[in-house]
Amino acid sequence: MARNRTDARARLEGGTRGGLWGPVLVNLGLGVPAVVPLYLAWWLLTEYMPMDCKSTEDLAKPDLTNCNYTTLDHASIVMLLLAATGVLMLALVVVIDVIFPIESGRRLAAWAGAAVLIPVPFALCLALA
């Protein structure tokens, strides 16, 4: 009986280090703000990279068919925002999935393995759009 009481107290205090629900839910929660840098990267790959022109001087060339001034105009801002939000999200992932489990004695493999779930909210939004 005393052992059960001790086990229950350890669970309340976070003493059990097993289980995947915590890492899975936290990494899915990290995926929500990660939608911003993932969308910016997706925009650069699907809108900016396929363009034939890379500067405003290229707009005057008559042989270019896939050149959009609006996309070209927004590309630098999108790249800057991607760098800023990407670094912020990378720092959050390192703190939450590496540093926090090491310091609290939790299983690092479970947290690092659950990090693959971060793009799931973005993929869901992309599939629903």
Side-chain angles (χ1 to χ4, degrees):
M1 185 74 167
R3 180 177 179 164
N4 289 340
R5 192 175 301 160
T6 307
D7 290 342
R9 182 176 298 257
R11 268 187 245 116
L12 287 175
E13 294 173 358
T16 57
R17 304 298 184 219
L20 292 175
W21 283 109
V24 166
L25 292 176
V26 169
N27 280 300
L28 284 174
L30 273 177
V32 174
V35 167
V36 174
L38 288 171
Y39 174 75
L40 295 173
W42 178 80
W43 185 88
L44 283 172
L45 289 173
T46 59
E47 298 290 328
Y48 180 70
M49 293 300 285
M51 283 193 343
D52 295 334
C53 57
K54 299 298 179 202
S55 68
T56 53
E57 290 82 27
D58 293 340
L59 291 170
K61 295 180 182 176
D63 59 339
L64 296 178
T65 57
N66 187 19
C67 197
N68 186 352
Y69 178 76
T70 305
T71 303
L72 193 62
D73 187 42
H74 291 103
S76 60
I77 296 167
V78 170
M79 287 181 210
L80 180 68
L81 286 173
L82 175 61
T85 59
V87 166
L88 178 65
M89 280 310 301
L90 187 61
L92 277 173
V93 168
V94 167
V95 167
I96 291 174
D97 286 335
V98 177
I99 296 172
F100 176 67
I102 289 173
E103 287 185 357
S104 63
R106 292 189 162 95
R107 291 185 355 203
L108 181 62
W111 286 85
V116 299
L117 297 173
I118 292 173
V120 168
F122 173 71
L124 185 65
C125 289
L126 198 59
L128 293 175

